[in-house]
Amino acid sequence: MCNTLRSKIVFLACCVALVTSILIGGINYTRTVQTTTDAAIDGLAGETRLIALKFKDGYDEMRNDASIVAYTPPINGLIRSMANGDIDPQDGSTTTLWRTRLETIYISIMSDRPHYTQMRYIGIADEGLELVRV
């Protein structure tokens, strides 16, 4: 088949063309895969940053609400009244009255934050006893 010089040159040219085509195709495939992967990673990183900001904002909102509630009078009033036989020595309010006041504050916060499903005040002294739940 490759007896003549002409057929040997044609065969060599075809082999060179085939090898060159395979190399160029492989290089283009590798570059395309790398470019696509990099673009996908960049897109996911951007989306992740946006979602992380949403989570952070929600967490910051909850932390701020907890800080605000921690400094309201019913918290200290509950502590004082529970330590003194269910009567606050400072103003004579009962533990039940302090709970009702704290529930009212929780309800007002929850009405402004529809994504809150419940708010609770948990005591430490009684191994996590739930004192107020709305």
Side-chain angles (χ1 to χ4, degrees), residues 28-78:
N28 282 336
Y29 174 77
T30 304
R31 283 185 181 173
T32 302
V33 167
Q34 187 63 42
T35 303
T36 305
T37 303
D38 291 345
I41 289 172
D42 289 344
L44 287 174
E47 289 179 30
T48 302
R49 280 190 291 276
L50 290 174
I51 291 172
L53 285 174
K54 288 181 181 180
F55 276 116
K56 184 182 179 310
D57 290 345
Y59 175 77
D60 288 344
E61 182 180 83
M62 287 187 283
R63 188 181 66 215
N64 289 338
D65 288 345
S67 294
I68 290 169
V69 169
Y71 293 106
T72 59
I75 298 294
N76 290 325
L78 264 171

Side-chain angles (χ1 to χ4, degrees), residues 51-127:
I51 291 172
L53 285 174
K54 288 181 181 180
F55 276 116
K56 184 182 179 310
D57 290 345
Y59 175 77
D60 288 344
E61 182 180 83
M62 287 187 283
R63 188 181 66 215
N64 289 338
D65 288 345
S67 294
I68 290 169
V69 169
Y71 293 106
T72 59
I75 298 294
N76 290 325
L78 264 171
I79 294 168
R80 285 191 308 266
S81 67
M82 290 176 71
N84 292 299
D86 289 336
I87 301 284
D88 184 355
Q90 199 171 45
D91 69 355
S93 297
T94 63
T95 301
T96 305
L97 183 58
W98 282 121
R99 281 188 176 133
T100 304
R101 291 173 181 165
L102 189 57
E103 287 172 358
T104 303
I105 291 170
Y106 283 0
I107 289 169
S108 79
I109 290 172
M110 289 178 69
S111 67
D112 191 44
R113 311 264 195 257
H115 52 279
Y116 285 7
T117 56
Q118 64 178 322
M119 291 182 74
R120 298 184 289 177
Y121 179 56
I122 299 174
I124 295 174
D126 298 325
E127 299 177 11

Side-chain angles (χ1 to χ4, degrees), residues 1-27:
M1 178 166 159
C2 293
N3 295 337
T4 66
L5 183 61
R6 178 178 170 197
S7 61
K8 288 179 183 178
I9 292 173
V10 169
F11 180 72
L12 180 65
C14 288
C15 288
V16 169
L18 179 65
V19 170
T20 304
S21 297
I22 289 172
L23 286 175
I24 290 174
I27 291 170

